[in-house]
Amino acid sequence: MRRAIILLLATVFLAGCGVQPFKISRAEYGQKVRTLGVLPLMVDEASDLRHPEKNQLKTMIKENNRGKVDFLIPRLKEQKNYFDVRYVPGEPEALFNQLVKGSDATDRKNGAERHYEFNAEFLTTLSEKNLVDGYLVIILHGIMLPQKRWDRTHLNYLESEYNVIIENAYVILPSGQVVWEHKGLAGDPFLALQYPDFDEAFYNKTNKVKIKFVDIEGLAKALVEPAGLLQKDEKLSVPYRNLFNRIAQDLGLGLFSSF
């Protein structure tokens, strides 16, 4: 009884917030997607990445992505929403090029949003090799989004557009139909590429705060910042832990244990 009440309250809360990741009813989703296939993490290399060392950045992210969905799959199984959750192997770059047939950025009040279109013919071919009902696709991409960033005293802030890396995630049926969609937000990006240099402005006694890019060394450290022990003494870093928590919460009701 208590669990039923919690589920009802969570459903009402999410509906009130306008969070509607499911494109079909949850009941229909449960019937259609009994076995979920999880593809490797992908990177949209043609997206809006403005870092001066973006080629090195893209390589670094792709290398760090390898094997990370191995941590997500047990979490999704734990939710008990599927008969099975299994890994779908493949090279991320090749999968992206074959799966994604187009993308575009649309301006919104809270910044641009990137949309992806998928190749149904490739999904049909992929499904001949993998006995799954739906594919979980996670794409990391760069974008400019408005944010309010505070200094370390939390007394001053700079509201501007910052270059960040966020995720788009989808569950797609073999027919090409998107039945669930999740989009990352500026306030909780996978990786923040820029920061306002309040200290420089303070010491130069100016109100003009420059926006700078985080050094590639700093981004490398951020990607591997430990988030605690998960399984078999393996560590999942903060960006990936937060990424998977967001996705698992949107795929369920956020009532399950987190990393």
Side-chain angles (χ1 to χ4, degrees):
M1 174 63 75
R2 184 183 177 193
R3 179 175 174 80
I5 293 172
I6 293 173
L7 284 168
L8 177 61
L9 290 173
T11 304
V12 171
F13 173 77
L14 290 175
C17 291
V19 179
Q20 297 294 336
F22 290 91
K23 303 302 179 183
I24 56 178
S25 72
R26 292 178 60 84
E28 186 181 0
Y29 178 91
Q31 292 172 355
K32 287 182 177 290
V33 188
R34 298 293 298 139
T35 300
L36 182 67
V38 182
L39 273 68
L41 287 171
M42 302 178 192
V43 177
D44 183 355
E45 298 191 48
S47 61
D48 194 0
L49 293 167
R50 304 189 182 187
H51 196 280
E53 297 178 82
K54 67 178 180 180
N55 289 334
Q56 189 173 346
L57 173 64
K58 288 186 287 189
T59 299
M60 187 169 65
I61 293 173
K62 288 189 290 184
E63 289 176 351
N64 277 278
N65 282 350
R66 292 188 183 278
K68 289 300 190 298
V69 294
D70 291 344
F71 293 97
L72 176 61
I73 290 171
R75 170 75 184 280
L76 296 177
K77 286 183 177 181
E78 183 182 298
Q79 293 183 346
K80 301 186 184 303
N81 291 330
Y82 304 95
F83 172 74
D84 192 18
V85 182
R86 62 184 64 162
Y87 178 64
V88 177
E91 277 301 313
E93 189 173 345
L95 284 170
F96 180 88
N97 291 334
Q98 293 174 288
L99 178 62
V100 177
K101 69 176 184 179
S103 68
D104 64 89
T106 304
D107 290 331
R108 302 283 189 226
K109 281 186 178 180
N110 59 346
E113 285 186 1
R114 185 161 289 279
H115 304 270
Y116 290 92
E117 295 182 16
F118 300 100
N119 185 342
E121 186 177 341
F122 173 70
L123 283 166
T124 301
T125 303
L126 192 65
S127 297
E128 293 173 357
K129 303 176 183 178
N130 302 279
L131 300 177
V132 300
D133 302 313
Y135 295 93
L136 175 58
V137 178
I138 306 169
I139 302 172
L140 299 174
H141 63 92
I143 200 164
M144 295 294 296
L145 290 178
Q147 277 188 291
K148 185 184 288 186
R149 300 275 190 91
W150 296 83
D151 68 3
R152 284 181 289 181
T153 67
H154 295 284
L155 298 174
N156 304 297
Y157 67 86
L158 179 65
E159 193 165 7
S160 183
E161 283 198 336
Y162 298 87
N163 197 200
V164 297
I165 294 176
I166 61 174
E167 74 277 359
N168 278 26
Y170 305 86
V171 173
I172 313 171
L173 302 184
S175 65
Q177 179 186 3
V178 175
V179 292
W180 175 88
E181 181 178 4
H182 160 91
K183 292 179 182 177
L185 300 173
D188 193 14
F190 173 75
L191 199 61
L193 303 180
Q194 290 182 301
Y195 67 97
D197 195 343
F198 290 105
D199 286 342
E200 181 188 58
F202 173 79
Y203 285 109
N204 285 323
K205 304 191 183 302
T206 178
N207 292 324
K208 295 181 179 179
V209 179
K210 295 179 182 178
I211 297 176
K212 297 182 177 181
F213 281 96
V214 181
D215 290 343
I216 200 72
E217 292 82 4
L219 294 172
K221 292 176 182 177
L223 280 171
V224 299
E225 182 182 356
L229 298 179
L230 185 62
Q231 298 175 12
K232 299 179 181 179
D233 295 325
E234 293 176 309
K235 292 183 179 180
L236 187 67
S237 64
V238 170
Y240 292 97
R241 179 201 62 185
N242 293 344
L243 169 68
F244 294 155
N245 279 345
R246 291 191 295 269
I247 289 171
Q249 180 173 332
D250 264 6
L251 267 174
L253 283 174
L255 302 177
F256 307 93
S257 63
S258 60
F259 293 121

